């Protein structure tokens, strides 16, 4: 409610909503909406424990919200090889413009810095191919949500990595160099879909695993309402296990 509304300085901003989200999270009727599940969007290497814990939570949430379960599959292609190339090229340009590259490149994470160092100048064909990939994925995503209202998925591709990194090149025995740890989130951002991450449960080693709730374009209200239902059905602790006040 606080953030919604247009800005004359942002051509992508939307008109203010005609609803109050603080009220809708308690009252919106979502019973009967169709929900589907995807462990990997068809291309993302993901650890089985992330899949299992998130899937169990998705099933429980669907029951609590009285959703209809759909077996429709969401499958996409990895956008990074084409679209990602153009996106990282623009990012490199931004870093150079602000004076951060190459003068401050050592402050970047190893993964991002290595991408920047190996980039070549994109050609018009590269840019056209990137736009074609983006349009194709957006069209396929729109088709999927024509008869599905909600898509559940894991939040991350692996349970945990050390705070200092690195993200492994292989996840679940598959090449994860282009997908990394957060590819489920990348796809949602790519298509401008409203989504929210909620706690699904804990791994066998005690680390939190998340469930991602994705909705069709402009249905932020459904994502927020489902998160509220899940919060009521399976409340999560506000402090990490073992937390102690100073």
């Amino acid at each position: 409610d606080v953030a919604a509304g247009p800005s004359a300085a942002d051509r992508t901003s939307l008109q203010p909503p005609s609803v109050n989200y603080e009220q809708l999270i308690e009252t919106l009727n979502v019973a009967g909406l169709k929900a589907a599940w995807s462990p990997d969007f068809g291309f993302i290497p993901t650890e089985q424990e992330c899949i299992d814990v998130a899937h169990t939570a998705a099933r429980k949430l669907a029951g609590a919200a009285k959703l209809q379960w759909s077996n429709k599959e969401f499958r996409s292609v990895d956008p990074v090889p084409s679209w990602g190339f153009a996106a990282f090229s623009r990012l490199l340009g931004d870093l150079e413009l602000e004076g951060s590259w190459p003068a401050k490149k050592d402050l970047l994470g190893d993964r991002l810095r290595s991408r920047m160092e190996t980039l070549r100048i994109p050609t018009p064909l590269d840019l056209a191919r990137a736009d074609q990939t983006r349009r194709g994925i957006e069209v396929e995503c729109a088709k999927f949500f024509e008869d599905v209202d909600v898509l559940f998925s894991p939040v991350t591709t692996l349970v945990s990595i050390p705070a200092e990194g690195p993200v492994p090149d292989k996840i679940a025995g598959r090449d994860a160099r282009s997908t990394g740890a957060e590819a489920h989130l990348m796809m949602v951002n790519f298509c401008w879909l409203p989504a929210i991450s909620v706690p699904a449960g804990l791994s066998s080693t005690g680390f939190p695993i998340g469930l991602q709730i994705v909705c069709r374009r402009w249905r932020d209200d459904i994502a927020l309402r489902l998160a509220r239902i899940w919060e009521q059905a399976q409340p999560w602790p506000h402090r990490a296990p073992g937390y102690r006040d100073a």
Side-chain angles (χ1 to χ4, degrees):
D1 291 328
V2 173
S7 168
D10 182 0
R11 62 183 176 84
T12 66
S13 62
L14 302 175
Q15 290 298 308
S18 59
V19 297
N20 181 286
Y21 290 113
E22 187 176 8
Q23 294 176 357
L24 278 183
I25 64 170
E26 306 290 355
T27 60
L28 183 67
N29 183 13
V30 294
L33 295 183
K34 291 184 179 179
W37 160 260
S38 179
D40 58 7
F41 294 173
F43 71 93
I44 304 170
T46 307
E47 287 184 348
Q48 192 62 46
E49 193 168 17
C50 290
I51 293 172
D52 293 342
V53 172
H55 185 247
T56 297
R59 284 287 190 175
K60 289 181 180 178
L61 174 52
K66 300 180 180 178
L67 305 177
Q68 292 184 46
W69 196 260
S70 170
N71 291 322
K72 185 172 183 179
E73 283 189 294
F74 177 75
R75 302 188 66 83
S76 183
V77 297
D78 185 354
V80 171
S82 56
W83 172 82
F85 171 67
F88 281 116
S89 296
R90 287 191 290 269
L91 174 58
L92 180 58
D94 289 338
L95 292 173
E96 290 179 339
L97 186 63
E98 69 180 24
S100 297
W101 187 273
K104 301 178 181 179
K105 68 177 184 178
D106 290 340
L107 298 179
L108 298 175
D110 292 340
R111 191 179 184 88
L112 180 57
R113 185 173 63 249
S114 66
R115 286 183 183 272
M116 299 294 102
E117 289 174 338
T118 57
L119 278 176
R120 58 179 174 80
I121 298 175
T123 66
L125 178 60
D126 292 325
L127 298 177
R129 186 177 289 117
D131 282 341
Q132 185 181 62
T133 298
R134 175 184 55 80
R135 288 194 300 269
I137 293 175
E138 287 176 344
V139 167
E140 290 303 313
C141 187
K143 287 180 179 178
F144 176 84
F145 278 103
E146 284 178 356
D147 55 2
V148 171
D149 301 288
V150 182
L151 175 63
F152 294 122
S153 81
V155 172
T156 56
T157 63
L158 69 174
V159 171
S160 177
I161 57 173
E164 66 276 10
V167 177
D169 289 340
K170 281 193 173 184
I171 296 174
R174 296 165 54 194
D175 186 350
R177 284 174 294 180
S178 72
T179 51
E182 302 156 347
H184 296 87
L185 312 182
M186 174 185 69
M187 281 298 301
V188 173
N189 290 335
F190 190 85
C191 295
W192 284 23
L193 300 174
I196 192 165
S197 167
V198 295
L202 298 178
S203 72
S204 58
T205 51
F207 284 98
I209 292 175
L211 168 68
Q212 181 172 230
I213 305 168
V214 187
C215 298
R216 65 178 64 179
R217 290 284 303 275
W218 309 294
R219 292 312 306 262
D220 307 66
D221 55 342
I222 295 175
L224 289 166
R225 173 61 176 147
L226 290 176
R228 175 58 175 154
I229 291 173
W230 184 239
E231 182 181 38
Q232 293 172 314
Q234 186 168 309
W236 49 83
H238 292 167
R239 293 182 175 180
Y243 178 88
R244 296 289 184 273
D245 287 320

